[in-house]
Amino acid sequence: NTHLRWYTYATGKRLLERNGYVLTKQWVQGEIPAMRIFKFLPSAVRKGLFGAMTFFSKGLFAGQLLYEAKPFR
């Protein structure tokens, strides 16, 4: 069986920390919603917009929440 779990940026971090991990890196990946509207903009500008949007709300604009963690010792 497989299943899907939904986490926010903060709850994903909390889940790892509560289970004995220390986060070494955390980031988000994704793109601007309705990116087709912004196709006329250069790639660097679109990436900058995404960076600004995720600065204010990481989970809202992210397609993936990524964490790098190691066991706490």
Side-chain angles (χ1 to χ4, degrees):
N1 282 337
T2 60
H3 58 278
L4 183 64
R5 304 256 180 178
W6 296 96
Y7 300 99
T8 67
Y9 193 71
T11 59
K13 176 183 175 185
R14 192 169 33 238
L15 174 71
L16 290 166
E17 291 174 341
R18 286 184 179 172
N19 286 283
Y21 289 89
V22 176
L23 293 174
T24 57
K25 187 177 177 185
Q26 55 189 13
W27 68 102
V28 296
Q29 288 183 338
E31 63 181 36
I32 299 171
M35 182 56 82
R36 294 176 196 258
I37 296 170
F38 298 100
K39 286 281 185 187
F40 66 92
L41 295 174
S43 177
V45 173
R46 290 193 310 262
K47 287 180 183 179
L49 281 172
F50 179 73
M53 292 166 77
T54 57
F55 175 79
F56 291 105
S57 180
K58 289 179 177 29
L60 183 60
F61 299 107
Q64 296 183 59
L65 307 175
L66 303 160
Y67 304 91
E68 181 178 291
K70 62 181 180 180
F72 180 76
R73 294 197 189 253

